Amino acid sequence: MLALGACGDDDGPSDAATRFDACACDAGSPEDAGTHDAATSDAATSDAATSDAATSDAAASDAATADTTDVTLTYGDHTETLDRAWMGYVRSGDEIVGLYFEINRGADDACPSATSPVPQQILTIDGFGLGTPGTQTYADGVRVQFFDFEGAFFEEIAPKTATDATVVVSALDVEAGTVEGTVELAFDDGTARGAFVATHCESLDGTADAARR
């Protein structure tokens, strides 16, 4: 694990257009014992049900608090939540020198490819270089584009470009191909902010000398 504090072809990512206790009681008469046994059985059944419900609630709570992608995107008067993320490695020779990200809503859980479903919305994040602090900004070269293929935010096909961006990579495991971080982005009429957990996809890998912006 490397702690940091970043569809297409081999030349880089292509255009984005192409996730109880039982109570022990003394037994009385056989009749009393039968009554008690039934009450104890009912209590045990109730306790077991309560225990199962508690276990189920705990599991649901754990699932809700698990690391996930949850980026709130607001543009104009509309808001959506982006819930899937992937990353590509940017290489110079054999060395990984940067990371490329795609965060979207509406695609499937597979790595992006030429035959992937088109997402409703997608953020493409480029320019995050390794070998520098885990927080990088627009001033450091981070560039973000926002595509709305659904037309929920705007009708144009052309993307909106972020006017400001802060991307924080808190953990990167190159061998496992995972990265965790947060984004805070500003557009001319909107914002996007939240956490992401991205998986590496070879289809998003590129080279440092490829023109991607």
Side-chain angles (χ1 to χ4, degrees):
M1 172 76 72
L2 171 62
L4 298 179
C7 276
D9 53 32
D10 294 335
D11 292 332
S14 65
D15 192 299
T18 56
R19 217 192 216 128
F20 287 108
D21 296 332
C23 177
C25 301
D26 293 333
S29 66
E31 180 180 351
D32 292 338
T35 302
H36 171 69
D37 289 344
T40 302
S41 176
D42 290 343
T45 300
S46 175
D47 291 342
T50 302
S51 178
D52 289 345
T55 301
S56 177
D57 289 344
S61 177
D62 288 343
T65 58
D67 291 336
T68 57
T69 295
D70 187 358
V71 175
T72 300
L73 172 62
T74 299
Y75 196 90
D77 58 359
H78 194 73
T79 298
E80 295 288 356
T81 298
L82 309 185
D83 57 2
R84 291 177 172 86
W86 293 269
M87 71 163 172
Y89 294 137
V90 180
R91 291 184 170 89
S92 178
D94 294 330
E95 181 183 4
I96 297 173
V97 297
L99 300 177
Y100 167 81
F101 302 100
E102 290 189 359
I103 304 175
N104 69 32
R105 166 181 171 263
D108 58 25
D109 293 326
C111 282
S113 71
T115 58
S116 295
V118 176
Q120 277 100 349
Q121 290 84 32
I122 185 171
L123 298 173
T124 63
I125 304 174
D126 196 11
F128 192 103
L130 296 185
T132 52
T135 299
Q136 294 183 37
T137 68
Y138 188 91
D140 298 316
V142 174
R143 295 294 181 267
V144 182
Q145 290 190 315
F146 162 34
F147 295 81
D148 179 20
F149 299 117
E150 184 183 39
F153 293 86
F154 48 85
E155 296 181 357
E156 306 92 277
I157 297 298
K160 304 300 182 182
T161 300
T163 56
D164 198 11
T166 298
V167 178
V168 179
V169 169
S170 55
L172 170 65
D173 189 329
V174 173
E175 290 188 6
T178 58
V179 64
E180 300 174 17
T182 61
V183 295
E184 185 164 356
L185 314 173
F187 298 90
D188 57 356
D189 192 24
T191 60
R193 56 173 58 92
F196 66 89
V197 179
T199 302
H200 172 239
C201 294
E202 290 186 3
S203 59
L204 297 181
D205 288 352
T207 58
D209 57 352
R212 293 188 307 255
R213 297 195 288 272

